[in-house]
Amino acid sequence: MKFFIPSAIRLLVFTVFIYLTACSPDQGTYEEEPAPDYTGTYQIVSVSSESPAAPAPAPSGTVAVVKIWGYTSIVSVTLTLNKEELLAGELTLRKASGATYDMYIGNSIRYGTIDGKEVTLNYFRNNVKYTVVARK
């Protein structure tokens, strides 16, 4: 007994097979997602100034880190120092070493680091660079 498969069904099966194999995602093309414990609220423990002529403000406030999107390693960061919001925006995380990620604005401006326990951010005011350290 011969088993007959119409050519239309063979063509349909072949088309589905090609579609499924051609549309599968390439392995290794997505950036590794940072661990979820990088997100949260960090309490500011120190603020330092690059210039002795511009004293650093008192270390009071928070840094809030919220994940934006799965594979893109983008977080929303809000720096609130002494009840004033100094920085709010999206930063890209890139693996630095160990559990530490560097935080970038766009692709080239390094804004700070984060390791899940501590975040360090830089901000500028009146042409003076300040560094904020916050811990969970």
Side-chain angles (χ1 to χ4, degrees):
M1 177 174 175
K2 282 187 166 180
F3 186 72
F4 178 73
I5 299 176
S7 60
I9 292 178
R10 281 187 275 168
L11 180 61
L12 179 64
V13 169
F14 180 73
T15 303
V16 170
F17 174 76
I18 293 298
Y19 175 78
L20 291 176
T21 57
C23 294
S24 65
D26 295 334
Q27 298 299 321
T29 59
Y30 297 106
E31 223 176 290
E32 184 179 321
E33 183 178 341
D37 62 359
Y38 291 107
T39 62
T41 302
Y42 297 75
Q43 298 299 316
I44 295 175
V45 294
S46 71
V47 180
S48 59
S49 169
E50 187 178 67
S51 169
S60 173
T62 60
V63 175
V65 180
V66 178
K67 190 172 190 172
I68 295 294
W69 190 254
Y71 290 104
T72 56
S73 299
I74 296 175
V75 292
S76 173
V77 177
T78 304
L79 167 62
T80 306
L81 182 63
N82 297 322
K83 299 181 182 179
E84 180 183 358
E85 191 173 287
L86 299 175
L87 167 71
E90 295 179 359
L91 299 177
T92 303
L93 302 182
R94 281 195 227 145
K95 185 83 167 157
S97 65
T100 303
Y101 282 82
D102 287 333
M103 302 168 74
Y104 287 86
I105 295 175
N107 290 324
S108 59
I109 301 172
R110 186 173 169 272
Y111 217 76
T113 61
I114 190 167
D115 67 7
K117 297 175 186 168
E118 184 174 280
V119 62
T120 302
L121 293 173
N122 298 312
Y123 76 93
F124 290 87
R125 174 172 264 174
N126 299 326
N127 295 324
V128 177
K129 178 182 172 184
Y130 294 92
T131 301
V132 174
V133 177
R135 293 190 182 112
K136 273 191 175 176

